[in-house]
Every structure is written in structure tokens, then in C-alpha cells.
């Protein structure tokens, strides 16, 4: 098959898997149909079965990854739209961002100490708790690999979606603000999507916490990296 045609089919496959899983998730509301889980799995299986060369897959689909940077600018919209909510809960949001940021780093560091893993993997693990655009920008300070970091961010988000509701029940967390802050600070975009399912206020708080945590990580990553060594 012509390589250009194959690359275009890969782009169509990626978009089709994303929008297909999104429609399926909206209809069935089951976590295994979530685009963050089903779409990459379907793409991976298809690429492996059809033995599509990685270079052909990335020839056109890399434009989708390139959109992450301008998408970051769009984070300014919810900050402006929900400015009254920020004024209403300034301390809660600030504490949530700081605690979420430090806990994410501390648990990653602890995992590094308790296990033996390649240096590239451990370095890429440090920023797994923030949203992908911020994580890819910040991982360089720790010596991480952006592609590996993106995968770890994805796994962290999926884990957050799966365990959040049982964890809220066990910990008897009923506050909408607490649920939103917890999901936004620990499970980034996937957590914000899950929080939106739970309730509107949870979703808005999670989105704001996710954005502020990501910005803080990018700004503080050089300092954190020098402290961790």
C-alpha cells in the first residue's frame, strides 16, 4: 500500500477510535468505554495486527500531538469563566494544588526508592499526576522522555477514574469541592471528566485544580528536580 495512503488511514483510524469511543461512552457510561482507555487500546491492537510501521503511523497523526501546545492556551477560558468560583474557594484550591503537587511527586519518588526501574522510566514518572501538555513540558527538567511521560500520565488518569468513587465511599468524602479538588490534582483530565459525571460543581473544581496544578508543576519543575537530585 502507498505509504501516504497508509498514513492517512492511520489518521482516520485515530480520529475514528476517539470519536467512536466517545459516542459509546456517552451512551453506555461504562469506564472501559472511556476514550482515554478504549481509543488507545483499539489503535494499539489495530497497529499490531496490521503490522503498520511506526513511522507511517506518525507521519500524519503527529499533528494531533502537536495540537496539545495550543490547547494549553484554551485552559485560560475556564479560569476566566469560573473566576467567581476561584474567588469563593481561594484557600481550598490553593491547598488542593499544593498538596496534590507534593503528594504526586512524593509517591513517584517513593515508588522509585521501593522498586528497581530504568532511569528513563523513573525520570518520566515524576510528573505523571499533571495533565499531558504540562507533563510533557515539565518532564525535561527531570530528564524524562516525553512519549514515556505521556503514557504514564494516561495510566495515572485511568487509575484515578477507576478507584475514585470506592475511595470516596471508604473515606466518607461527600463534599463536592473536596471530590473535585482530589480528582483534578491527582488524575488530571481524566479525573476532571470523571468529576463532571459526578456533578457540575465537582467538574468545574476539578478542571480548575487540574489547570493550576499543571501550571505550578511547569514553573516549579526545575526546583523540584534540583531538590530530588
Amino acid at each position: 500500500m502507498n505509504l501516504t495512503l497508509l498514513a492517512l488511514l492511520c489518521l482516520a483510524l485515530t480520529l475514528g477510535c476517539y470519536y467512536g469511543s466517545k459516542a459509546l461512552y456517552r451512551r453506555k457510561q461504562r469506564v472501559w468505554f472511556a476514550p482515554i482507555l478504549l481509543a488507545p487500546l483499539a489503535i494499539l491492537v489495530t497497529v499490531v495486527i496490521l503490522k503498520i510501521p511506526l513511522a507511517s503511523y506518525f507521519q500524519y497523526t503527529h499533528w494531533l500531538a502537536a495540537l496539545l501546545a495550543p490547547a494549553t492556551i484554551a485552559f485560560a477560558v475556564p479560569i476566566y469563566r469560573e473566576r467567581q468560583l476561584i474567588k469563593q474557594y481561594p484557600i481550598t484550591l490553593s491547598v488542593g494544588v499544593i498538596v496534590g503537587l507534593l503528594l504526586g511527586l512524593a509517591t513517584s519518588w517513593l515508588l522509585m526508592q521501593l522498586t528497581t526501574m530504568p532511569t528513563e522510566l523513573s525520570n518520566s514518572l515524576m510528573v505523571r499526576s499533571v495533565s499531558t501538555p504540562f507533563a510533557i513540558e515539565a518532564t525535561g527538567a527531570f530528564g524524562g522522555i516525553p512519549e514515556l511521560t505521556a503514557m504514564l500520565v494516561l495510566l495515572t488518569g485511568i487509575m484515578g477514574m477507576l478507584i475514585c468513587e470506592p475511595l470516596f465511599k471508604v473515606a466518607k468524602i461527600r463534599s463536592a469541592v473536596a471530590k473535585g479538588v482530589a480528582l483534578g490534582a491527582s488524575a488530571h483530565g481524566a479525573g476532571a471528566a470523571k468529576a463532571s459525571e459526578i456533578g457540575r460543581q465537582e467538574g468545574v473544581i476539578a478542571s480548575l485544580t487540574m489547570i493550576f496544578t499543571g501550571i505550578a508543576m511547569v514553573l516549579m519543575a526545575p526546583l523540584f528536580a534540583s531538590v530530588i537530585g
Side-chain angles (χ1 to χ4, degrees), residues 31-42:
V31 68
W32 47 85
F33 292 140
I36 193 173
L37 181 62
L38 183 59
L41 189 62

Side-chain angles (χ1 to χ4, degrees), residues 81-82 85 195-205:
R81 194 171 51 203
E82 305 296 341
L85 199 61
S196 298
E197 289 178 18
I198 298 173
R200 184 187 178 280
Q201 189 175 19
E202 288 89 337
V204 172
I205 292 287

Side-chain angles (χ1 to χ4, degrees), residues 11-21:
L11 177 61
L13 167 71
T14 304
L15 293 174
C17 287
Y18 171 72
Y19 285 107
S21 58

Side-chain angles (χ1 to χ4, degrees), residues 1 11 20 42 51 95 103 112 116 119 125 130 145 150 160 207 209:
M1 182 184 293
L11 177 61
K51 298 180 180 177
V95 171
L103 275 179
M112 287 166 53
T116 303
T119 305
L125 188 67
V130 299
I145 300 172
S207 297
T209 308

Side-chain angles (χ1 to χ4, degrees), residues 63-86:
W63 292 110
L64 299 175
L67 290 174
L68 281 172
T72 308
I73 299 171
F75 284 141
V77 176
I79 292 176
Y80 176 77
R81 194 171 51 203
E82 305 296 341
R83 57 191 184 282
Q84 292 302 325
L85 199 61
I86 297 171

Side-chain angles (χ1 to χ4, degrees), residues 68-115:
L68 281 172
T72 308
I73 299 171
F75 284 141
V77 176
I79 292 176
Y80 176 77
R81 194 171 51 203
E82 305 296 341
R83 57 191 184 282
Q84 292 302 325
L85 199 61
I86 297 171
K87 292 177 182 175
Q88 190 177 353
Y89 298 110
I91 297 176
T92 305
L93 287 171
S94 300
V95 171
V97 168
I98 294 169
V99 172
L101 193 63
L102 294 179
L103 275 179
L105 286 167
T107 52
S108 298
W109 179 84
L110 191 61
L111 192 60
M112 287 166 53
Q113 304 306 311
L114 296 177
T115 60

